[in-house]
Amino acid sequence: MKINKFVIPLPQFISNMAIQSLAVFCGSKKGTNPLYTEHAIQLGKLMAENNIRLIYGGGSAGIMGSIADSVMQYGGKVTGIIPKILLEWEVQHLGISELIISDDMHERKRKLYSLCDAALILPGGFGTLDELFEIITWNQLTIHDKQIYILNSGGFYNHLIAHIRLMKQEQFLYEEAEKRVTIIDDPAELLNYIN
């Protein structure tokens, strides 16, 4: 059987390029620590001031809504992508630059990944972790070569970071996680990497 290989060329030095659009994955709830929302607002301001378009899940609630509101408040651009099934759950954001409605979650994630130059993970729940691990896996499989950042607000991801290190120690990973993921503790640190 003959197999035709279809290869999409990937940028080899994407992490050294200026970021023009950043996918942010985060909770549709605010969580209990006010720092999560404070960091989302700071990040939104930083993105707007540096002409970085926010690509996100399209909701108006939780941290998700806070970052979108902040980017818009400071004159930035926001593209939200929300699946039909979540229109009522996440209350789509009607005050952003562009809202795309996808047929399902899989199409939503493909669109989020395709529109961004890099991805940033803020505190969130199962959906946020799903998006984090999928984008890391796609990166490892060279489906894309986009840098991934985790904003560890108030130590929210300390246990996850420790578990990722354990996976490497127990030889379940093919390489050091740090090759694919950069951990930051404050939104301002992102400027060291994206410009």
Side-chain angles (χ1 to χ4, degrees):
M1 175 165 68
K2 184 179 179 184
I3 299 174
N4 293 323
K5 191 173 180 185
F6 179 70
V7 179
I8 300 172
L10 295 169
Q12 295 301 308
F13 303 105
I14 191 85
S15 60
N16 293 329
M17 297 168 57
I19 302 297
Q20 296 179 348
S21 60
L22 182 66
V24 175
F25 301 108
C26 56
S28 59
K29 296 181 77 173
K30 289 191 182 283
T32 58
N33 187 340
L35 182 64
Y36 307 150
T37 299
E38 289 171 27
H39 274 182
I41 293 168
Q42 290 171 19
L43 179 65
K45 182 175 188 278
L46 181 148
M47 290 176 68
E49 290 173 348
N50 287 275
N51 297 314
I52 300 169
R53 177 180 283 269
L54 169 64
I55 311 293
Y56 87 119
S60 62
I63 299 173
M64 196 183 280
S66 296
I67 188 169
D69 289 343
S70 179
V71 173
M72 293 301 296
Q73 177 185 344
Y74 291 100
K77 302 288 184 199
V78 177
T79 296
I81 304 160
I82 191 166
K84 291 176 187 174
I85 195 170
L86 293 182
L87 285 176
E88 292 181 16
W89 284 37
E90 292 185 309
V91 190
Q92 69 272 22
H93 203 306
L94 301 177
I96 57 177
S97 313
E98 177 184 30
L99 182 67
I100 299 169
I101 299 172
S102 65
D103 288 330
D104 55 40
M105 292 291 284
H106 297 293
E107 182 188 348
R108 175 202 211 183
K109 288 193 285 188
R110 279 193 306 271
K111 192 75 171 168
L112 282 162
Y113 301 159
S114 70
L115 291 176
C116 73
D117 296 324
L120 176 63
I121 315 302
L122 274 60
F126 291 135
T128 303
L129 291 179
D130 172 57
E131 290 156 336
L132 167 63
F133 284 114
E134 182 165 85
I135 199 166
I136 291 173
T137 302
W138 286 22
N139 192 313
Q140 183 176 299
L141 295 173
T142 67
I143 294 171
H144 69 78
D145 190 20
K146 299 177 183 186
Q147 189 58 35
I148 303 158
Y149 303 92
I150 294 177
L151 178 55
N152 191 24
S153 301
F156 182 83
Y157 284 115
N158 283 351
H159 293 290
L160 178 64
I161 293 163
H163 189 76
I164 290 171
R165 290 182 179 140
L166 176 64
M167 288 191 291
K168 177 58 182 172
Q169 178 186 320
E170 294 296 322
Q171 300 183 9
F172 284 106
L173 303 182
Y174 289 97
E175 62 190 8
E176 296 295 333
E178 289 80 3
K179 184 173 180 183
R180 305 284 174 189
V181 179
T182 302
I183 311 296
I184 60 175
D185 295 312
D186 186 271
E189 289 179 50
L190 192 61
L191 288 176
N192 297 329
Y193 300 97
I194 61 176
N195 289 325

